[in-house]
Amino acid sequence: MSLRVIIFGTLAFIAIQIIRLVDRLFIKPRLSNLRVLPGPKSKSLLYGNFKEVKHSKPGELHAKWIEEYGPTMSYTGVFNSGRLYTHDTRALSFVLSHPDIFRKPDQFQFVLARVLGKGLIFADGDPHRKQRRLLNPAFSNLHIRQMTPIFFSKAFELRDAWIALASEKESPFDTTACEIDAMSWLSRVTLDIIGLAGFDHAFKATNPQGPADDFQKAFETAFNGAMKFSLMSLLTARFSILRKLPSKRERDIQEAQTTMRRLGKKLIADKKKTILESLSDKDEKITKTTVEGKDILSLLIRANMSSEVPESARLSDEDILAQIPTFILAGHETTAAALAWCLYAMTRHTDIQCKLRDEVGSVDTDGPTMDVLNSLPYLDAVVRETLRFFPIVPMVMRIASEDVNVPFKTPVTDKRGRSLSEIRIRKGEGVDIPIIALNRSKDIWGDDADQYRPERWENVPEIAHEVPGVWSDLMTFLGGPRSCIGYKFSIIEMKVLIFTLIRAFSFEPPEKDVEILPKTTFITKPVVVGEEEKGSQLPLKIRLLPTA
């Protein structure tokens, strides 16, 4: 290949990228129908309003915009892209029920790919449907009921570790209390639970003296690297050629992915071997009930190998491999953060804490069944209120893969005074799913929607039933065909840990007066003001109860 050809090819590539960038930054925005909707002005050609949103508290800026521009508006995303923001339940239901049209953004898929390599649980189209069909039995009530003893075993381990900490306190005046970073501990115990329940792997993270697990270290390296947002990370997500540029961040992520692949392949091979060895006859066919393995990965592999599943409906080994870090990503820090916010609420509302303790204390066993847990109304209300008031993901976005009309339940008045019953979204434009805003909407939940009050679940407003969420009239687990498949798992895991910890301890603010604020990267976690560089923390005091 001559030098002239190389130069020409390079210049042609650069010219094409410039044309695409000009089209994205200048031409498409001028043709957008979203321009007629009220909304804030863009602050930057590259970032739009993104930096404003990123540096505000979850839902705070959007709430301000809603007051100024109304419940349906538009604003500008990165690279001058149009964004529809609405509280209209019909519009949101339409978007969530058409996942083949409204897909996850490229930047989101890219970040997850850096963690997972290939994460089918976040895929679109037919691969997602195949994966969902095979995984559904693993997240059924029947299977979660069988998983509940695993949840309790780790809850007891956490309780006993905290009892040991409280008992070791040397102060003669307060021998049953100590301060802990609850976020760190809850992150460890939820990792242990998803390790055992997800793929029968013992991380042993709750043991403070135990060494860090290789898979755990690799996952944290990939996740933390992928979560470092910057202009370069946005450009890397948009232009794949930039990923080839050498950097320590890229090298660390790639090494972590290699480690996860190696360990994951061994897990899968071992489970396949167990399934084949469990057959009493070498000619016996594999069915969905062939082996005893109850972890989610075993159920997935068993279903995938079953003679009852046609070849066209099966997943490849690569697709199954991606589920291991997916289980950790979807079921580890999310539940840990939700539990941390629950304990934070308990320290601020001692009356709620006492009422909850009275209820769980009335149960005559430390390890009740899932059905007994679900029969405790105030525990249920506390979990629902925690997930309403502190949704772990405050907002998600969907990108239109084609031009489409989005209908409104309530007509919208545009800048020209016209009443619109629908808006045409062009290919590449986004729609925000305002999780925290709907969960805290006063139009839905009443004037006290901005207060943490579990008693509201005794009488749910009729209008709340219009919210297109898969669970409890909330958007926390989204809705439609791509709603969170593991929400039942997460809810029971939360109930088990709250039940166990509230029976053993009282929770109080720490001695030092600190301010806790929510900070969102992928999920919303508590941070200490002035100590943001230390990452997520939730310092609080635990006091051992006499009955523990």
Side-chain angles (χ1 to χ4, degrees), residues 122-418:
F122 303 103
D124 286 304
D126 186 59
H128 182 277
R129 284 189 284 272
K130 288 197 293 186
Q131 178 252 8
R132 190 112 181 177
R133 280 195 297 268
L134 290 172
L135 274 177
N136 273 332
F139 293 102
S140 66
N141 286 331
L142 174 63
H143 187 247
I144 295 171
R145 184 177 287 108
Q146 295 170 342
M147 290 282 99
T148 304
I150 292 177
F151 299 168
F152 269 113
S153 69
K154 285 299 170 181
F156 295 157
E157 187 175 338
L158 177 64
R159 177 199 63 190
D160 294 345
W162 285 5
I163 289 175
L165 285 175
S167 301
E168 289 171 2
K169 187 173 177 62
E170 296 180 358
S171 169
F173 305 106
D174 198 0
T175 58
T176 61
C178 68
E179 291 192 5
I180 60 167
D181 174 13
M183 185 68 230
S184 172
W185 281 98
L186 294 169
S187 182
R188 290 184 235 170
V189 74
T190 55
L191 178 64
D192 277 348
I193 288 174
I194 196 61
L196 292 174
F199 41 95
D200 195 26
H201 179 78
F203 285 115
K204 299 180 181 179
T206 311
N207 177 7
Q209 276 75 46
D213 180 87
D214 287 344
F215 200 105
Q216 176 188 356
K217 288 189 292 185
F219 175 83
E220 289 175 350
T221 297
F223 182 77
N224 292 335
M227 287 296 106
K228 292 179 180 178
F229 291 108
S230 64
L231 176 59
M232 189 60 188
S233 68
L234 292 173
L235 291 172
T236 303
R238 177 59 55 185
F239 304 108
S240 59
I241 192 171
L242 296 178
R243 299 168 206 169
K244 300 183 184 298
L245 296 177
S247 71
K248 184 179 185 304
R249 174 174 175 262
E250 287 297 313
R251 287 195 301 270
D252 289 345
I253 291 175
Q254 289 171 11
E255 288 176 7
Q257 286 181 345
T258 300
T259 300
M260 287 192 291
R261 285 181 61 82
R262 173 175 55 82
L263 297 174
K265 283 183 175 180
K266 185 178 185 305
L267 267 176
I268 293 171
D270 290 346
K271 290 187 180 300
K272 283 187 173 181
K273 182 180 178 182
T274 300
I275 291 172
L276 293 173
E277 289 177 347
S278 71
L279 302 179
S280 57
D281 187 321
K282 65 179 181 179
D283 296 322
E284 182 183 347
K285 291 183 178 180
I286 297 173
T287 69
K288 295 179 181 180
T289 57
T290 295
V291 294
E292 284 296 316
K294 296 298 183 183
D295 61 279
I296 298 170
L297 186 62
S298 288
L299 293 182
L300 175 60
I301 293 175
R302 184 171 68 209
N304 201 52
M305 295 174 66
S306 171
S307 58
E308 302 166 3
V309 176
E311 192 68 34
S312 61
R314 295 184 183 182
L315 303 177
S316 68
D317 280 356
E318 285 294 313
D319 294 333
I320 294 175
L321 179 63
Q323 300 318 304
I324 299 173
T326 297
F327 294 155
I328 301 174
L329 180 62
H332 163 35
E333 291 289 348
T334 50
T335 305
L339 287 162
W341 287 119
C342 181
L343 294 186
Y344 172 79
M346 295 301 104
T347 66
R348 266 59 186 175
H349 303 279
T350 55
D351 55 332
I352 294 174
Q353 183 179 165
C354 291
K355 184 175 179 179
L356 177 60
R357 184 172 296 108
D358 288 343
E359 181 180 81
V360 300
S362 67
V363 179
D364 60 3
T365 175
D366 284 346
T369 64
M370 184 184 86
D371 297 316
V372 171
L373 286 174
N374 284 336
S375 71
L376 301 174
Y378 202 64
L379 174 61
D380 187 70
V382 166
V383 170
R384 289 177 192 270
E385 185 68 354
T386 298
L387 294 174
R388 182 195 73 86
F389 197 76
F390 301 105
I392 302 309
V393 180
M395 183 174 66
V396 297
M397 184 170 60
R398 295 293 180 261
I399 302 296
S401 61
E402 61 187 65
D403 292 358
V404 61
N405 291 333
V406 175
F408 296 127
K409 175 190 172 188
T410 304
V412 179
T413 302
D414 70 7
K415 292 178 180 178
R416 302 172 187 171
R418 298 175 302 178

